[in-house]
Amino acid sequence: MTTYAIGDVQGCYDSLRRLLDKIQFDPNKDQLWFAGDLINRGPKSLETLRFIISLGDSAHSVLGNHECHFLASARGHKKAHRTDTFADILEAHDADQLIHWVRSLPFLHHDKTLGYTMIHAGLPAPWTLEDAKRYAKELEAAFQSDLFDPFLASMYGNKPTHWDNSLSGHARLRFIINCFTRMRFCDEQGHLEFKEKGSPADSPPHLIPWFEVPKRQTAQEKIVFGHWSTLGLNKQNNAFCLDSGCLWGGQLSAMTLDGTERIISLDCDASLEPY
């Protein structure tokens, strides 16, 4: 049995199937971890979603920012962007079931035996792994409760930028979801910054990747994430970025979660302008 973590698919269904052929994935014995952004912007969001659902217990996925945007649009809290490509899901005969499945996804997946944790974007420096698990559960509980629609209506925003245990209500949930689904850069004090989306080499000198923030409490944990195509494949401080830009004409990548951390990549057909 081999477990593979895969970076952002974003509806690039054909590339995903070719990558699985390349690694000789066997759903009867292997496992796939998907680091969020399964859908949107690519050409086949519906096919991608249905395929991953069909894998059942052979696949684990976490929510990314594109899934959250999809849910907000599906529930009428956000207008679809002109570059969104999830209309096929919303128009499907089983749209309600598909939306329910996406809504039920976790924000964090951890396997104690393998020794890896998967999120979509990042973790703030003050959080331990146990904190992150607890806050993920808190957010997931809101997604499964009557708080879901009120929170989606207030989800968009860049504040607060710093964790405080006294945060409450929508501000608390917004900080948590921004970490799990949008985080890239921080300043050295750990304040989140969302305007910069480029590579660390091209960023202002006062900003650093979240996994380089001093005294990060999860520095000894192996964290797998996606979300950052301009960073690309990267291993630093036990943080593994697997978003190799398939959507932008780059590659779709898988990494073995067996200690060898072998990378298998496939050149992709899609070639879009980054957004």
Side-chain angles (χ1 to χ4, degrees), residues 4-275:
Y4 301 91
I6 296 178
D8 303 34
V9 179
Q10 294 196 241
C12 296
Y13 172 75
D14 294 338
S15 297
L16 173 61
R17 294 306 300 265
R18 289 194 294 118
L19 177 62
L20 297 186
D21 287 343
K22 185 173 181 177
I23 65 177
Q24 298 182 323
F25 169 68
D26 183 346
N28 295 312
K29 63 179 183 179
D30 298 328
Q31 292 272 310
L32 299 177
W33 289 21
F34 290 96
D37 281 5
L38 310 175
I39 60 173
N40 203 21
R41 299 287 172 78
K44 295 184 178 180
S45 289
L46 179 60
E47 290 93 332
T48 300
L49 190 58
R50 283 189 168 148
F51 173 68
I52 293 174
I53 292 173
S54 76
L55 295 174
D57 293 339
S58 296
H60 296 280
S61 306
V62 293
L63 280 160
N65 55 298
H66 281 281
E67 281 79 43
C68 294
H69 173 58
F70 163 74
L71 290 171
S73 297
R75 304 285 286 203
H77 300 294
K78 188 72 173 179
K79 289 185 178 180
H81 191 273
R82 61 178 177 79
T83 59
D84 289 334
T85 61
F86 48 64
D88 53 354
I89 302 175
L90 297 176
E91 295 167 1
H93 67 88
D94 54 346
D96 288 345
Q97 294 95 313
L98 297 172
I99 293 168
H100 176 78
W101 186 87
V102 173
R103 179 179 172 181
S104 69
L105 290 175
F107 286 89
L108 179 151
H109 179 69
H110 173 73
D111 189 300
K112 183 177 180 180
T113 301
L114 291 176
Y116 293 89
T117 300
M118 178 175 64
I119 55 175
H120 179 60
L123 296 176
W127 290 3
T128 65
L129 179 57
E130 291 307 311
D131 290 334
K133 291 178 183 178
R134 185 165 64 253
Y135 300 142
K137 292 294 184 184
E138 186 177 329
L139 190 56
E140 291 154 18
F143 267 52
Q144 300 305 314
S145 74
D146 292 340
L147 294 174
F148 183 52
D149 282 297
F151 173 62
L152 287 181
S154 66
M155 176 177 66
Y156 291 88
N158 295 338
K159 295 183 178 180
T161 64
H162 194 68
W163 176 249
D164 188 318
N165 287 327
S166 66
L167 286 172
S168 62
H170 290 168
R172 179 183 178 91
L173 294 177
R174 188 184 306 114
F175 181 88
I176 295 172
I177 201 169
N178 279 345
C179 290
F180 283 126
T181 67
R182 297 180 60 212
M183 188 176 187
R184 292 187 182 97
F185 286 106
C186 300
D187 63 20
E188 289 193 359
Q189 288 71 47
H191 292 83
L192 279 59
E193 203 287 333
F194 296 106
K195 291 182 181 179
E196 293 294 329
K197 299 182 180 181
S199 69
D202 298 326
S203 67
H206 72 285
L207 296 178
I208 55 178
W210 64 267
F211 48 81
E212 291 184 15
V213 175
K215 299 180 180 180
R216 179 169 62 90
Q217 295 299 300
T218 54
Q220 302 306 311
E221 307 288 345
K222 291 186 175 183
I223 310 292
V224 176
F225 67 103
H227 184 59
W228 202 341
S229 62
T230 52
L231 175 65
L233 294 174
N234 188 78
K235 175 185 176 181
Q236 195 171 348
N237 300 338
N238 282 326
F240 305 83
C241 181
L242 294 179
D243 184 359
S244 45
C246 180
L247 186 64
W248 317 123
Q251 296 178 318
L252 186 63
S253 297
M255 183 179 81
T256 57
L257 302 183
D258 57 1
T260 65
E261 289 149 7
R262 183 169 59 96
I263 298 288
I264 306 97
S265 297
L266 175 86
D267 290 336
C268 295
D269 299 325
S271 182
L272 305 177
E273 289 298 319
Y275 172 79

